[in-house]
Amino acid sequence: MAQLFTPYTLRGMRARNRVVIPPMQQSTGVDGMATDWHLAHLARFAMGGAGIVFVESTAVEARGRNTHGDIGLWNDDQIAPLARIADALRRDGAVPAIQLGHTGRKAGMQKWWHGHGPLTEADAARGEAPWKAVGPSALPVGPGWPTPNEPDTGQVEALVRSWGDAARRAREAGFEALEVHGAHGYLIHQFLSPIANQRTDRFGLHRMRFALDVAEAVRREWPDDKPLFWRVSLADVADGGLEFEEMVDLLRSLKDRGVDVVDCSSGGGISSYPTQGKSVSNSLTFRAELAGRLREATGLQVMGVGLVIDPQTAEGYLQAREADLIAVGREALYNPNWPVHAEVALGANQDYATWPQQYRMYLVRRAAAADALRNTDMTRSTA
Ligand SMILES: Cc1cc2nc3c(=O)[nH]c(=O)nc-3n(C[C@H](O)[C@H](O)[C@H](O)COP(=O)(O)O)c2cc1C
């Protein structure tokens, strides 16, 4: 049987298969609130058969938003629309999951469709004025980028607390898995980087301190029976971030603090965006071996992600023990039914048993009718 379609259990979570929809920002929130777009967009993946569906990066602080359209969990009013989404995902058979994030010095960007550069006063005319970002040090992402505020030690501690508070709200919204966004050159990644973090207090002398404190703050609020994921940028080697051995050290310490899964991403480097002219492939193909080594060195479960397009390739990563879960992002935007189609392609489900029950009978009849039509067409063409 295809491993991709074997159930997956971790702590008290049970997913029907190992296909994960990774967090994908829609830049469509209103005042940090999720909307009906988010509900429809995410529920569609659950209907398409995914095992776990992640809500996009959800800001732990208003100033940590990437764009004005980011959603957040920095206040209690933001819980209700997300609870509705968690319920819908559960109803349609997927594990409801959410990523928490803070973009640090990369905050305050234009939405993709407005250019995705730093917000300027010109954007204020659209109601999207720039705001002051925060970073580990007062160092901009790159030339032309605004300089972030450098918080004092007490303010960094408050930042850590905001992660715990958001985790509490994610729990109250009913999510069953949570991911900390520690990648893509965002706040946690910035604290880890010698380029972005030049502090002289304990958050600079020990650059892993912030990440470890966040893990503790989140785990305090995140129940023991629910798994905790952590996203890293595995392409760091080329980007002035963590070397492989440092990554192993970090992940072992995170595991001691209750992290269960490392989500091996790439792209979006420490410096400007995109990664200072460096071409870092975001295909898992180029990182799968590294992900497998991380898995072995840390004992963490691994989620692989990056241009997974065909089901056989996804299955191959699992068979090679390079990953335990496979995330499918853009391919699922292209085809939200990717999981149920992949199941057929891998021979695991030929009878529509895992499709929504509302569709099943009609799809069985459609298949029979299509077969009959094909036979008629063949008879006509050979007549
Ligand atoms: C529209 C879009 C939005 C994204 N937003 C996020 C996000 O909120 N958090 C994150 O960690 N990655 C984000 N990503 C990256 C994806 O989670 C994923 O890692 C990446 O797209 C590579 O996987 P794929 O090749 O299967 O799409 C986003 C990607 C896309 C296409």
Side-chain angles (χ1 to χ4, degrees), residues 53 71 77-78 141 173 177 193 231 305 345:
V53 177
I71 60 171
D77 294 341
Q78 291 161 333
V141 179
S193 160
R231 183 163 260 205
V305 61

Side-chain angles (χ1 to χ4, degrees), residues 75-100:
N75 71 49
D76 287 356
D77 294 341
Q78 291 161 333
I79 297 173
L82 284 167
R84 206 168 147 237
I85 290 171
D87 285 345
L89 295 176
R90 204 176 357 257
R91 178 199 62 207
D92 294 327
V95 172
I98 188 165
Q99 184 189 55
L100 298 180

Side-chain angles (χ1 to χ4, degrees), residues 64-365:
R65 284 171 300 162
N66 196 207
T67 73
H68 275 276
D70 286 22
I71 60 171
L73 268 176
W74 65 82
N75 71 49
D76 287 356
D77 294 341
Q78 291 161 333
I79 297 173
L82 284 167
R84 206 168 147 237
I85 290 171
D87 285 345
L89 295 176
R90 204 176 357 257
R91 178 199 62 207
D92 294 327
V95 172
I98 188 165
Q99 184 189 55
L100 298 180
H102 191 306
T103 59
R105 65 182 191 167
K106 282 187 177 177
M109 291 177 72
Q110 299 157 331
K111 295 172 186 167
W112 284 104
W113 46 87
H114 292 144
H116 216 221
L119 284 168
T120 64
E121 287 307 328
D123 295 296
R126 238 194 342 261
E128 300 196 342
W131 67 87
K132 191 73 176 168
V134 64
S137 301
L139 297 166
V141 179
W145 283 74
T147 302
N149 278 334
E150 178 172 325
D152 64 27
T153 305
Q155 289 166 334
V156 177
E157 287 163 353
L159 264 169
V160 170
R161 282 195 297 277
S162 69
W163 285 85
D165 294 343
R168 188 260 300 161
R169 297 186 184 106
R171 182 190 75 220
E172 290 177 10
F175 288 97
E176 293 171 24
L178 186 141
E179 176 168 278
V180 171
H181 199 338
H184 301 176
Y186 292 149
L187 188 66
I188 290 179
H189 201 175
Q190 290 160 24
F191 267 96
L192 291 169
S193 160
I195 296 173
N197 180 358
Q198 296 180 6
R199 300 176 66 87
T200 51
D201 66 357
R202 68 179 195 279
F203 291 104
L205 295 176
H206 180 38
R207 280 183 279 106
M208 291 184 190
R209 184 76 272 146
F210 185 74
L212 301 183
D213 286 3
V214 165
E216 283 174 14
V218 166
R219 239 322 159 199
R220 261 195 297 279
E221 295 292 346
W222 192 242
D224 279 350
D225 64 342
K226 296 186 180 190
L228 184 56
F229 291 53
W230 193 280
R231 183 163 260 205
V232 297
S233 284
L234 254 197
D236 282 1
V237 182
D239 191 37
L242 298 186
E243 301 288 343
F244 184 77
E245 285 312 321
E246 290 178 296
M247 183 79 86
V248 170
D249 268 0
L250 168 70
L251 290 170
R252 284 185 179 148
S253 303
L254 291 173
K255 188 174 180 222
D256 290 343
R257 286 161 177 80
V259 170
D260 304 295
V261 182
V262 53
D263 172 5
C264 296
S265 181
S266 72
I270 282 297
S271 299
S272 62
Y273 189 94
T275 312
Q276 280 193 328
K278 293 187 182 110
S279 88
V280 176
S281 167
N282 56 17
S283 167
L284 178 55
T285 307
F286 299 106
R287 277 176 289 124
E289 193 254 293
L290 206 55
R293 276 170 47 210
L294 260 193
R295 185 178 185 273
E296 205 151 291
T298 63
L300 286 165
Q301 293 284 285
V302 164
M303 179 154 104
V305 61
L307 276 178
V308 175
I309 290 173
D310 67 276
Q312 287 78 9
T313 307
E315 177 66 18
Y317 297 129
L318 298 180
Q319 299 280 353
R321 304 178 70 78
E322 290 164 334
D324 302 280
L325 293 163
I326 300 292
V328 179
R330 285 163 292 179
E331 202 57 19
L333 292 181
Y334 178 66
N335 172 16
N337 284 337
W338 192 93
V340 281
H341 287 165
E343 213 173 349
V344 172
L346 294 175
N349 164 32
Q350 306 296 343
D351 57 4
Y352 302 101
T354 55
W355 288 67
Q357 63 177 357
Q358 292 89 336
Y359 299 174
R360 271 178 224 160
M361 182 186 76
Y362 299 98
L363 292 178
V364 169
R365 288 183 183 173

